[in-house]
Amino acid sequence: MKTRATLIGFTAILMWSILALMTAASGTMPPFQLSAIAFAIGSLPGIALFIARPERLQALRQPAKVWITGVAGLFGYHFLYFTALRNAPAVEAGLIAYLWPLFIVVGSALLPGEKLRWYHVAGALTGLAGTALIIADKGVAFDPAFTLGYLAAFLCAFTWAGYSLISRRFEAVSTDVVTGFCLATSILSLLCHLGLETTVWPQDVSQWVAVIGLGLLPVGLAFYTWDYGVKNGDIQILGASSYAAPLLSTLNLIIFGFGEFRATIGLACVLITGGAVLAARDMLFSRKKAPN
């Protein structure tokens, strides 16, 4: 059961790996507008399920702390991430923002029934090193002038890690509630768009397909499978394995002509894959005791 839930959670990481590709293919739509539309689309399967089975609407009747955690996690992460990109270079902001898998692995020690082992931390750090190679391939230069952006990126990482860890404590809460989180995030993103951005619509069918794809997968289904995974699977393995997302994302961009392969990508692949295997050693290499 735990292994199955972990694998379901890992599908979110696979879907997030196509986020950059789909975003690049979606045109020049500003981020909050794109977020508003994508999260609205991401909520549609849940709404359809509620229409088909009205009794599942009861899943939305949750304590305030559940709603605050969910909306702060989904909307807060994206708001802070966009703020970081607006106020700091993308390379440095991205590197700081990708501290969240490490925060999840280390923070999991605070969860009931979880034990933090050396190989969990080592696997997460190895994955972080691989991610750093990808993001900072052309150099990193932290400038105090971008302190606001760096702080937003750090809070972004902390927010997503906190959401994931706290969600574990709400394991009795149905994943159906994620539909409500997506709707709330869509509305808040729309308000930010109206106040901060100029509306830009997709220019052709392919861009609309990319926007719809974003809403159905990396900004839709991924949040449902991640919720199920962190609640029922091995959150330490999921945290360390999350570093696969930027690697797979980079490979997707290269395959579809948005980037080029470099030696550092190969080394990053080894580091991230090795780190994930190290963190998952209990699941991959455990042996059942023979019966007496």
Side-chain angles (χ1 to χ4, degrees):
M1 177 65 179
K2 192 171 185 179
T3 299
R4 175 176 173 271
T6 303
L7 292 174
I8 290 175
F10 186 73
T11 64
I13 299 170
L14 295 178
M15 285 183 274
W16 288 331
S17 73
I18 62 174
L19 178 62
L21 177 63
M22 286 190 166
T23 300
S26 66
T28 58
M29 187 181 294
F32 282 116
Q33 181 188 356
L34 183 59
S35 178
I37 294 174
F39 273 104
I41 294 172
S43 68
L44 292 179
I47 293 174
L49 181 61
F50 289 151
I51 293 174
R53 301 181 61 181
E55 69 276 8
R56 299 187 72 156
L57 279 168
Q58 294 181 359
L60 299 180
R61 299 179 60 182
Q62 299 295 336
K65 60 183 179 181
V66 173
W67 279 98
I68 291 173
T69 298
V71 176
L74 270 63
F75 175 74
Y77 170 84
H78 290 84
F79 178 84
L80 290 166
Y81 185 69
F82 295 151
T83 300
L85 293 182
R86 286 171 180 267
N87 294 277
V91 171
E92 288 81 359
L95 187 56
I96 296 172
Y98 248 100
L99 288 171
W100 66 262
L102 180 61
F103 289 166
I104 288 178
V105 173
V106 175
S108 66
L110 302 175
L111 296 174
E114 298 289 350
K115 292 182 179 180
L116 186 63
R117 306 293 189 184
W118 68 267
Y119 44 84
H120 293 134
V121 177
L125 288 174
T126 302
L128 178 60
T131 300
L133 278 178
I134 296 173
I135 297 177
D137 183 42
K138 297 182 179 179
V140 177
F142 289 100
D143 187 334
F146 302 118
T147 298
L148 175 60
Y150 299 152
L151 178 60
F154 180 83
L155 292 175
C156 165
F158 188 81
T159 296
W160 188 253
Y163 163 72
S164 300
L165 291 167
I166 295 173
S167 293
R168 179 69 168 225
R169 293 181 174 273
F170 299 146
E171 57 184 313
V173 176
S174 171
T175 295
D176 288 342
V177 76
V178 174
T179 299
F181 299 162
C182 287
L183 273 174
T185 299
S186 176
I187 293 170
L188 291 172
S189 296
L190 176 60
L191 294 175
C192 287
H193 165 64
L194 294 176
L196 300 171
E197 300 174 335
T198 300
T199 301
V200 177
W201 294 108
Q203 299 299 306
D204 53 38
V205 174
S206 64
Q207 290 184 2
W208 272 113
V209 169
V211 171
I212 294 171
L214 277 169
L216 292 177
L217 295 173
V219 190
L221 180 60
F223 292 108
Y224 295 87
T225 60
W226 182 256
D227 181 82
Y228 184 83
V230 297
K231 286 177 178 176
N232 302 283
D234 191 317
I235 195 169
Q236 294 165 333
I237 292 176
L238 285 173
S241 299
S242 296
Y243 284 118
L247 172 63
L248 295 174
S249 177
T250 301
L251 292 176
N252 282 329
L253 290 172
I254 291 171
I255 291 171
F256 287 92
F258 290 95
E260 59 182 21
F261 186 82
R262 302 178 302 279
T264 51
I265 301 300
L267 179 56
C269 182
V270 173
L271 288 172
I272 292 173
T273 303
V277 170
L278 181 59
R281 54 174 284 184
D282 286 341
M283 185 177 79
L284 296 175
F285 305 115
S286 61
R287 295 180 179 177
K288 295 182 179 180
K289 294 182 179 180
N292 294 328

